[in-house]
Amino acid sequence: MVSTLFKLAICFLILRQGAGNFNLFLSQAEVRKLMGLQAELYYVRSGVINEYAMTFVVPVPAQVHKLHFTWESLAGRPLPYAMSVNISNPSALTSSLNVSQVGEIPIGGVQTWALSLNCGPYDAEVDLALRIDVSRSRYNTTSVVLRRKKICLKDNGYPGPEEVLVAAPGSSSSGQIFYASIGCACAFVAAICVLVIAYYVRDKKTRRHRDPLQESRGLSSACSVERGAGVGPAQTFLPPETPPPLSAASTSSYRRLDDRPSRELHERIQEITVQRCRVRLLSIELEGTFGRVYRGSYHEEGAQAPRDVLVKTAAEHASQSQVALLLREGLALYGLSHSALLPVLGVSIEDRGAPFLLYPHTGYRNMKRFLVRCKLSSEGPPRALTTQGVVEMALQAAKGAQYLHKKRLVHRDLAARNCVVDDDLRVQITDNALARDLFPQDYHCLGDNENRPIKWLAIESLTNKTFTTASDVWAFGVLLWELTTLAQQPYVEVDPFEMAAYLRDGYRLAQPINCPDELFAVMAYCWAMSADERPTFSQLIVCLQDFHTQLTRYV
């Protein structure tokens, strides 16, 4: 008994002595390259494994061909290690290390080493796992598995060797002094840049001494001055001779089924341009990082009284591409007329400020926020939403989508966040301008620099980026699920990178509590693996109307 306790005590002391003897992390430069964050990411800090970081699969963009890792021994002696790389598709991706697969973590400072990734001759998404086993003592080995998902594009092959700065132990003092000098110089230049930027921002804010609300409230007099002086309309953001900065094929969430060339963006803008001085911003309804939605009023020429409007606009720091995307997506429903659609009313673009997109406001509010309020309201008791009400709302959304398809338009982002509803449960489908900014939790980037509504996309849209009327039907099934769950997040337990495999294996959203079998059957039909097996919106309307008739028969 005493001998056993003695051995356990010895093992415990060995573990305690090895508890803080090495670090393994990603440098700030590596984290910024892969994730766009200014931070270091520790997988092992003082011998303690970061379990949360270990579960995250880091996407590797197509243009990145080397992964850099940094480690250091804190034990006062070299630590033996062994490394191996497991690749899911070796024909599409091969790898190599610039350090030996079996060796020792050196002492005397941090060391950075690289894993090179060489893509094959075709497009692929390849999973790879880097396993590192570090022997901290005879009885204690730490195993770390780092997972990555590499995007391989055949037109973006391996560029060849790149220079890697490795802080190897035993480097000369002159080299350290040289790198320290370079670091100090860079820090000095960075400090100068920060000061210049701060001065510029402060000067810009001083010149723009009024915020958009104050500016809009003071423009009514400017209208009369311009008309009295005979001044023409203000210069537009996109002059007629300037082509749209972003193509509809790459950025817009709408697509014409026949792919006929649409009218240029500036032509549509000029048709519905309104004077900025006729628009008054009253209060902020929604706000994101790069955009805002205001409640305001618009006084049409010749009208007795102004009308209530909602105004979508970009923030001051939004880039030109974000502004152009706002305009293109905001004008996608222009010219359409249906009771279940909310097209843009007007647009105001002037060179002195961000563009305004005007929408009629008659008591409607965002459907997703409405559903959340039905579930839990801080303004009073939550509103009870009956199955009959859910079906009525779904019917209106289906009729709006059916109208879009008759006009040979695919929405591509049909969801509760892109619909509005009033207190009488009247529903209208809207464009998805600013949706990515206002509801960032609904969009994910799978390493291709494109935020997409992954959890709402059909299987063919996920894998091939194919969008058709059938993919809109799939999204409508998820919208119906949102209605019955009061805007719960779909597939909340599924990683966005695993969605395609999850759907391919036949898994779907579960039947919500208190959801009738007939209604869930409609959802299930929408999520058929084959696009040809999914119903059309005309068929969905018939099914929903029949079910609505059954519900009202006994009421």
Side-chain angles (χ1 to χ4, degrees):
M1 180 66 178
V2 175
S3 176
T4 303
L5 291 176
F6 179 75
K7 291 180 180 179
L8 291 175
I10 293 297
C11 290
F12 177 74
L13 288 175
I14 292 174
L15 293 175
R16 285 291 302 273
Q17 290 173 0
N21 51 20
F22 83 99
N23 291 333
L24 174 63
F25 60 97
L26 302 183
S27 65
Q28 284 194 12
E30 186 71 6
V31 174
R32 183 171 62 251
K33 178 178 69 176
L34 294 176
M35 308 176 194
L37 302 176
Q38 291 285 351
E40 291 179 336
L41 175 59
Y42 274 81
Y43 290 105
V44 180
R45 184 193 290 268
S46 298
V48 179
I49 298 177
N50 184 349
E51 298 291 349
Y52 177 78
M54 298 295 297
T55 60
F56 184 65
V57 181
V58 180
V60 182
Q63 66 272 16
V64 176
H65 300 279
K66 278 196 176 182
L67 304 177
H68 299 92
F69 302 89
T70 304
W71 60 15
E72 61 179 327
S73 172
L74 306 176
R77 59 181 175 83
L79 294 175
Y81 72 84
M83 283 192 289
S84 62
V85 182
N86 182 25
I87 298 176
S88 63
N89 188 355
S91 64
L93 182 71
T94 58
S95 66
S96 62
L97 291 160
N98 68 346
V99 293
S100 60
Q101 288 187 288
V102 178
E104 293 180 335
I105 301 178
I107 60 175
V110 298
Q111 181 189 46
T112 300
W113 47 275
L115 173 65
S116 300
L117 304 176
N118 191 3
C119 287
Y122 56 89
D123 298 347
E125 288 188 6
V126 184
D127 295 317
L128 63 98
L130 172 63
R131 181 185 178 92
I132 306 173
D133 297 316
V134 179
S135 300
R136 305 196 295 183
S137 68
R138 180 179 177 184
Y139 303 98
N140 189 2
T141 298
T142 300
S143 297
V144 178
V145 179
L146 310 178
R147 294 177 173 85
R148 300 291 186 267
K149 183 182 288 290
K150 179 69 174 81
I151 308 299
C152 286
L153 301 178
K154 62 182 179 181
D155 296 329
N156 195 357
Y158 184 64
E162 60 180 277
E163 183 179 357
V164 180
L165 295 179
V166 179
S171 57
S172 65
S173 60
S174 60
Q176 294 176 355
I177 295 173
F178 172 75
Y179 288 121
S181 302
I182 293 296
C184 292
C186 292
F188 178 75
V189 173
I192 296 297
C193 292
V194 169
L195 291 175
V196 171
I197 293 173
Y199 175 79
Y200 171 77
V201 171
R202 182 178 179 181
D203 182 67
K204 182 179 179 180
K205 288 183 178 180
T206 302
R207 286 185 283 109
R208 298 178 58 88
H209 59 279
R210 294 179 300 178
D211 61 17
L213 288 173
Q214 294 172 327
E215 185 177 335
S216 68
R217 291 167 184 167
L219 286 177
S220 57
S221 59
C223 261
S224 57
V225 171
E226 287 184 0
R227 289 195 299 269
V231 179
Q235 180 182 357
T236 59
F237 185 82
L238 295 177
E241 63 273 9
T242 304
L246 295 177
S247 64
S250 62
T251 59
S252 177
S253 288
Y254 297 82
R255 184 174 65 85
R256 294 283 177 180
L257 292 180
D258 53 5
D259 289 330
R260 290 176 298 182
S262 60
R263 290 174 296 175
E264 293 296 334
L265 181 62
H266 66 269
E267 294 179 357
R268 281 185 282 170
I269 290 175
Q270 290 185 355
E271 289 181 5
I272 54 174
T273 295
V274 299
Q275 290 179 302
R276 179 68 57 89
C277 54
R278 296 187 177 277
V279 182
R280 185 180 182 186
L281 305 181
L282 302 176
S283 62
I284 296 179
E285 293 288 307
L286 299 171
E287 185 171 13
T289 304
F290 301 105
R292 301 186 186 99
V293 179
Y294 290 91
R295 184 173 182 177
S297 63
Y298 170 53
H299 201 148
E300 295 182 82
E301 189 172 0
Q304 296 294 327
R307 61 184 300 181
D308 292 334
V309 294
L310 288 176
V311 181
K312 291 184 180 181
T313 185
E316 298 173 3
H317 58 274
S319 65
Q320 183 177 359
S321 61
Q322 289 165 337
V323 171
L325 184 59
L326 166 68
L327 291 172
R328 187 173 298 282
E329 292 183 337
L331 296 174
L333 299 183
Y334 166 65
L336 303 179
S337 178
H338 191 274
S339 60
L341 293 181
L342 182 68
V344 66
L345 175 67
V347 58
S348 173
I349 302 180
E350 299 181 2
D351 56 0
R352 62 186 173 191
F356 284 0
L357 292 175
L358 278 62
Y359 299 82
H361 179 57
T362 55
Y364 287 82
R365 54 184 179 272
N366 183 270
M367 180 189 285
K368 183 161 187 171
R369 293 178 178 266
F370 170 81
L371 294 173
V372 172
R373 192 168 298 161
C374 288
K375 180 167 48 181
L376 181 63
S377 176
S378 60
E379 302 173 0
R383 171 172 179 164
L385 193 59
T386 63
T387 302
Q388 182 177 339
V390 167
V391 176
E392 290 172 356
M393 296 168 71
L395 265 172
Q396 296 174 73
K399 291 177 181 178
Q402 179 193 43
Y403 176 80
L404 284 177
H405 290 181
K406 287 182 178 178
K407 294 296 183 179
R408 307 188 66 78
L409 272 172
V410 176
H411 192 286
R412 306 212 311 181
D413 198 358
L414 198 58
R417 62 184 170 271
N418 292 322
C419 296
V420 292
V421 62
D422 66 2
D423 290 332
D424 296 326
L425 301 186
R426 291 178 295 184
V427 174
Q428 290 181 320
I429 298 174
T430 72
D431 56 63
N432 69 326
L434 296 183
R436 299 175 186 85
D437 188 40
L438 299 176
F439 300 94
Q441 70 277 6
D442 292 352
Y443 294 85
H444 300 87
C445 179
L446 300 185
D448 52 3
N449 291 328
E450 181 182 356
N451 269 332
R452 293 183 290 162
I454 301 299
K455 305 295 180 70
W456 281 259
L457 293 183
I459 180 65
E460 68 273 10
S461 303
L462 268 174
T463 56
N464 304 322
K465 295 187 179 181
T466 300
F467 293 89
T468 62
T469 55
S471 61
D472 271 1
V473 170
W474 181 297
F476 176 79
V478 184
L479 168 60
L480 190 53
W481 187 87
E482 288 184 279
L483 290 172
T484 56
T485 61
L486 299 181
Q488 289 187 20
Q489 286 294 109
Y491 305 103
V492 67
E493 74 286 354
V494 182
D495 187 277
F497 289 91
E498 304 296 331
M499 271 302 300
Y502 187 82
L503 298 176
R504 197 180 295 115
D505 290 341
Y507 294 101
R508 297 293 186 270
L509 290 167
Q511 182 172 354
I513 300 174
N514 298 327
C515 174
D517 294 340
E518 296 86 347
L519 198 55
F520 184 67
V522 174
M523 302 181 204
Y525 290 143
C526 295
W527 301 327
M529 182 65 71
S530 173
D532 296 334
E533 295 177 0
R534 297 172 206 155
T536 64
F537 274 105
S538 298
Q539 294 169 330
L540 287 172
I541 291 172
V542 172
C543 293
L544 291 172
Q545 283 178 335
D546 289 344
F547 183 50
H548 186 265
T549 302
Q550 295 177 24
L551 292 173
T552 56
R553 184 176 300 167
Y554 305 103
V555 177

